[in-house]
């Protein structure tokens, strides 16, 4: 099985369209799966604490053309968490559908999460020690990264990397601006980082 993993779309129509087109051309059989932050919340964390709901449009832009692209399953990221805390049930059917989404997804071989649940160092190295899964996939930092047994590895785009031995923490990289995505092949036990221009 193949997964095309994406994260950190932040409501970007051109970046999302470009990445989904590249996935279709490169790995048409892959299941597209999002690690969260599909939408961009216009209300920051500090302001959210004192925000009173008036209308959905003040909080998020739900562009119909962007929404047409969202055919895939997604985890909740910190942007969705904030959106759903600010927008009451019933105010947006699109957002109401997200309320049943999970924060984590577990398979036999991997754990998927957004990445805001991790602690990050100044150089954007994540502390993955609370998680014991051999493969941990995440986003959030907007910087792709690969760590094997706690050590950062160099990444060559488009080249499959074997994950048969060791423990891997895999930061997929953002769709927003960078147009990055990752192909995870569970049969071959490989990951391949991609960037679309």
């Amino acid at each position: 099985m193949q997964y095309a993993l994406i994260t950190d779309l932040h409501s970007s129509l051109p970046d999302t369209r470009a990445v989904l087109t590249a996935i279709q051309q490169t790995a048409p059989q892959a299941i597209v799966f999002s690690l969260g932050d599909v939408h961009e919340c216009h209300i920051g964390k500090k302001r959210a604490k004192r925000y009173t709901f008036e209308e959905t449009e003040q909080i998020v832009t739900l562009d119909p053309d962007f929404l047409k692209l969202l055919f895939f399953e997604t985890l909740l990221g910190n942007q969705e968490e904030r959106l759903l805390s600010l927008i009451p049930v019933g105010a947006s059917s699109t957002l109401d559908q997200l309320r049943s989404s999970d924060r984590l997804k577990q398979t036999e071989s991997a754990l998927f999460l957004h990445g805001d649940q991790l602690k990050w160092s100044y150089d954007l190295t994540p502390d993955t020690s609370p998680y014991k899964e051999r493969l941990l996939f995440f986003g959030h930092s907007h910087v792709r990264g690969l760590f094997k047994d706690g050590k950062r590895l160099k990444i060559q785009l488009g080249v499959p990397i074997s994950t048969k031995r060791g423990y891997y923490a895999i930061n997929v990289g953002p769709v927003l601006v960078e147009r990055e995505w990752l192909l995870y092949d569970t049969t071959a036990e490989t990951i391949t980082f991609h960037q679309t221009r």
Side-chain angles (χ1 to χ4, degrees), residues 86-185:
L86 296 171
I87 299 173
V89 174
S92 166
S93 60
T94 298
L95 296 177
D96 283 346
Q97 291 174 8
L98 282 176
R99 293 181 191 277
S100 61
S101 296
D102 296 318
R103 286 288 271 155
L104 303 170
K105 178 183 177 83
Q106 179 87 54
T107 66
E108 286 182 19
S109 59
L111 179 66
F112 305 86
L113 51 84
H114 179 61
D116 60 311
Q117 300 156 58
L118 303 172
K119 291 182 180 177
W120 294 83
S121 69
Y122 182 74
D123 69 347
L124 295 179
T125 299
D127 176 8
T128 59
S129 59
Y131 300 94
K132 303 308 176 192
E133 287 77 13
R134 206 174 64 74
L135 299 178
L136 178 65
F137 293 91
F138 53 92
H140 181 64
S141 71
H142 291 224
V143 178
R144 73 173 170 259
L146 176 61
F147 305 84
K148 180 181 180 183
D149 300 326
K151 296 179 182 177
R152 187 186 295 268
L153 302 179
K154 289 185 179 180
I155 297 168
Q156 191 173 352
L157 294 173
V159 177
I161 300 163
S162 174
T163 58
K164 290 181 180 178
R165 292 186 178 88
Y167 287 79
Y168 291 85
I170 303 142
N171 191 341
V172 171
V175 168
L176 179 69
V177 179
E178 301 300 332
R179 298 186 174 184
E180 296 179 343
W181 61 282
L182 183 132
L183 184 65
Y184 168 40
D185 189 319

Side-chain angles (χ1 to χ4, degrees), residues 41-90:
C41 182
H42 303 319
I43 309 298
K45 286 187 283 188
K46 290 182 181 177
R47 189 171 161 220
K49 294 175 183 175
R50 60 184 187 282
Y51 183 81
T52 302
F53 177 78
E54 293 178 16
E55 57 182 23
T56 301
E57 292 74 20
Q58 291 180 350
I59 302 171
V60 63
T61 301
L62 297 175
D63 178 354
D65 290 331
F66 178 72
L67 296 179
K68 287 176 189 174
L69 300 176
L70 308 184
F71 64 88
F72 44 80
E73 181 184 352
T74 186
L75 297 176
L76 294 179
N78 53 293
Q79 295 289 315
E80 285 82 21
E81 290 266 292
R82 195 175 322 137
L83 288 172
L84 298 179
S85 73
L86 296 171
I87 299 173
V89 174

